[in-house]
């Protein structure tokens, strides 16, 4: 898979690595701090994600992974530091926030589909209302993405008629219908039965092949090895280590990462 993937990524992040120094980052976190009351959940987070880069964030529960990714599109508000997305800094200005959210797709642990709308209606809602896309164009776009995630035949069904894996693939297609520049995944397989995880990961591998900028919080280490340009390990609200998958998995530098890997890989 790795060899075919590198071939499909010729104009993606691997070629882009030569120009990354000059290109503005897709996402920049600069000394980001966040508290929940007295609990310091993000501690001086620094993260620079290049356009087209695929970053997997891992770490134990409670390490701040999901909080960090939710701060990137302001579902959570940070108290200190800067977050810049697609050249726009996250502030309290609702206009800039709306502009950023139009460019950033997000897929959650729970599918968050509207149960009273069909799959097609779930996918066309935002393009029609936010992008002002004509209904026929939105439906054609939705069917294209439902085909890409291999469930076009489910378009007229309701979410409750689909399996968990199918619903998560719908959630991915729905996010893609907004044509985002960046995709964020917050543990997209954690709510799924084991037999459904592979179909969702396969969909994400397909998406990674397109060269889209991605940040994925996940415990799926096989996915991280296969897809990530970089793996970021978080613990206790800090970025402890960051590097290419080979270095992270085969030559971890800190005892905290070594301990985490020994626990999680033992379970696989």
């Amino acid at each position: 898979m790795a060899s075919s993937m590198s071939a499909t990524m010729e104009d993606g992040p691997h070629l882009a690595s030569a120009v990354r120094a000059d290109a503005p980052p897709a996402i920049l976190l600069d000394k980001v701090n966040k508290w929940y009351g007295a609990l310091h959940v993000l501690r001086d987070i620094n993260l620079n994600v290049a356009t087209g880069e695929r970053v997997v964030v891992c770490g134990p529960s409670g390490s701040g992974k999901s909080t960090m990714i939710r701060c990137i599109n302001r579902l959570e508000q940070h108290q200190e530091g800067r977050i810049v997305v697609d050249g726009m800094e996250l502030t309290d200005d609702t206009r800039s926030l709306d502009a950023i959210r139009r460019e950033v797709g997000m897929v959650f642990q729970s599918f968050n589909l509207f149960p009273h709308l069909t799959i097609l209606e779930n996918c066309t809602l935002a393009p029609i209302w936010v992008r002002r896309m004509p209904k026929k164009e939105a439906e054609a776009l939705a069917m294209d993405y439902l085909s890409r995630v291999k469930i076009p035949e489910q378009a007229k069904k309701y979410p409750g008629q689909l399996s968990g894996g199918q619903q998560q693939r719908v959630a991915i297609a729905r996010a893609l219908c907004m044509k985002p520049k960046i995709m964020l995944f917050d543990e997209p397989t954690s709510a799924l039965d084991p037999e459904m995880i592979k179909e969702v990961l396969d969909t994400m591998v397909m998406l990674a092949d397109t060269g889209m900028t991605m940040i994925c919080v996940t415990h799926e280490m096989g996915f991280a090895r296969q897809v990530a340009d970089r793996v970021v390990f978080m613990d206790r609200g800090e970025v402890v280590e960051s590097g290419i998958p080979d270095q992270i998995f085969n030559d971890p530098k800190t005892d905290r990462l070594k301990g985490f890997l020994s626990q999680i890989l033992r379970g696989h």
Side-chain angles (χ1 to χ4, degrees), residues 39-201:
L39 183 62
H40 198 173
V41 290
L42 295 179
R43 300 170 180 266
D44 284 333
I45 298 291
N46 292 302
L47 184 66
N48 187 327
V49 180
T51 299
E53 190 175 14
R54 301 164 302 190
V55 175
V56 166
V57 182
C58 63
S61 297
S63 59
K65 311 180 301 294
S66 291
T67 301
M68 181 186 75
I69 205 171
R70 290 170 68 88
C71 282
I72 291 172
N73 66 353
R74 202 68 161 188
L75 291 173
E76 299 277 1
Q77 189 168 344
H78 62 290
Q79 283 100 2
E80 287 183 3
R82 291 191 313 133
I83 299 178
V84 180
V85 180
D86 193 33
M88 296 176 281
E89 183 167 356
L90 274 176
T91 66
D92 292 328
D93 184 342
T94 56
R95 288 170 300 177
S96 67
L97 180 57
D98 288 344
I100 288 169
R101 284 185 175 165
R102 280 196 292 269
E103 305 303 337
V104 180
M106 185 152 185
V107 177
F108 301 87
Q109 298 177 36
S110 53
F111 321 123
N112 291 359
L113 301 174
F114 293 108
H116 64 290
L117 299 180
T118 65
I119 297 310
L120 186 62
E121 289 168 339
N122 266 281
C123 290
T124 58
L125 190 65
I128 290 171
W129 287 97
V130 179
R131 296 275 193 201
R132 304 287 186 231
M133 192 178 289
K135 184 179 178 183
K136 282 191 175 180
E137 185 181 337
E139 288 181 343
L141 182 69
M143 288 306 301
D144 177 47
Y145 280 117
L146 287 172
S147 296
R148 292 195 200 187
V149 302
K150 298 182 170 57
I151 46 171
E153 72 283 355
Q154 309 294 346
K156 294 184 179 179
K157 292 184 180 179
Y158 290 88
Q161 297 175 279
L162 274 58
S163 70
Q166 289 173 326
Q167 289 187 63
Q168 192 61 293
R169 283 188 281 165
V170 171
I172 293 171
R174 178 182 60 178
L176 292 173
C177 282
M178 283 294 285
K179 296 185 175 180
K181 295 179 181 177
I182 298 163
M183 281 288 286
L184 307 176
F185 294 90
D186 185 8
E187 301 199 36
T189 60
S190 66
L192 299 177
D193 294 331
E195 65 270 16
M196 296 177 185
I197 290 174
K198 184 180 183 300
E199 65 188 58
V200 173
L201 292 178

